Amino acid sequence: SQAVVDWGLQLMGADYITGKLISHLNWSADTSPIFNQSSRNNPQLAEWIAYAKNLVDAYAFVRPFLLEGQLLRPLPGSFDLMFDTAMQMTKPWTSVWKRANGVVGIVLTNPHALPKQFGGTIALSRYGFSEGQSVAVTLTSTANNSTAWGNIADTLDMSQFTVPPKGVLLIELQ
């Protein structure tokens, strides 16, 4: 529905990736069961419905960031080779939010059927944490409930996190 698409734009930080999202939707519109009126028996329709359900489920755990948070600058490398030559997505879509209480949320969204990783390391100082500060990391995804991951200082190695297929991963830093 349009509401799911609108919320998906907000979740993925539309200020930063709208062009890529529109390119993806335009590229897939001819083959997508969502845009094909004769697709009642199309097996891909179940995949698209599962993805839409995951977006709605993810809203429960990303809502505080979207409603009261401030959209921060994107992760380093967010725009580097997002698609390969066959137009297959190589990384999840990302957005970074900061709530009024100081908690930073990194939201990674994967609309494809294979798990995806963002990769690289992130300096926590980029998002307001002090050098040497112990930062608690909590993971929540459409595949798992919220899990305390541990404490880190100075950098976050994004290659340690996998976004589930057609899912959303929230990395909370506090």
Side-chain angles (χ1 to χ4, degrees):
S1 78
Q2 185 61 44
V4 171
V5 172
D6 290 345
W7 176 77
L9 285 170
Q10 185 180 13
L11 172 68
M12 295 178 282
D15 291 345
Y16 297 118
I17 64 136
T18 301
K20 288 187 179 181
L21 181 62
I22 289 169
S23 296
H24 170 71
L25 290 176
N26 286 340
W27 172 72
S28 63
D30 293 338
T31 59
S32 168
I34 297 297
F35 300 104
N36 181 349
Q37 296 300 318
S38 63
S39 62
R40 287 184 179 263
N41 297 318
N42 189 331
Q44 288 182 322
L45 183 59
E47 288 182 35
W48 281 91
I49 291 171
Y51 178 50
K53 180 188 176 303
N54 281 341
L55 287 178
V56 171
D57 290 347
Y59 186 73
F61 58 84
V62 299
R63 184 174 186 243
F65 292 95
L66 300 179
L67 292 182
E68 63 183 67
Q70 173 188 6
L71 184 62
L72 302 178
R73 61 180 144 167
L75 296 175
S78 291
F79 302 110
D80 297 346
L81 192 62
M82 193 171 207
F83 294 94
D84 65 17
T85 55
M87 286 303 290
Q88 295 299 309
M89 192 171 128
T90 57
K91 292 193 239 183
W93 290 321
T94 65
S95 61
V96 183
W97 302 81
K98 187 171 192 172
R99 292 176 54 188
N101 65 2
V103 176
V104 173
I106 301 172
V107 180
L108 300 114
T109 306
N110 177 12
H112 291 278
L114 297 173
K116 298 288 180 184
Q117 290 181 318
F118 186 79
T121 58
I122 299 165
L124 296 180
S125 61
R126 179 180 178 93
Y127 298 109
F129 295 99
S130 304
E131 188 174 324
Q133 178 181 353
S134 180
V135 177
V137 178
T138 304
L139 305 177
T140 308
S141 77
T142 48
N144 298 309
N145 292 329
S146 184
T147 306
W149 187 78
N151 289 338
I152 58 171
D154 299 326
T155 61
L156 177 64
D157 180 3
M158 293 295 290
S159 65
Q160 299 178 74
F161 308 111
T162 301
V163 185
K166 299 210 179 284
V168 177
L169 172 65
L170 171 65
I171 303 170
E172 288 182 81
L173 308 171
Q174 54 187 341

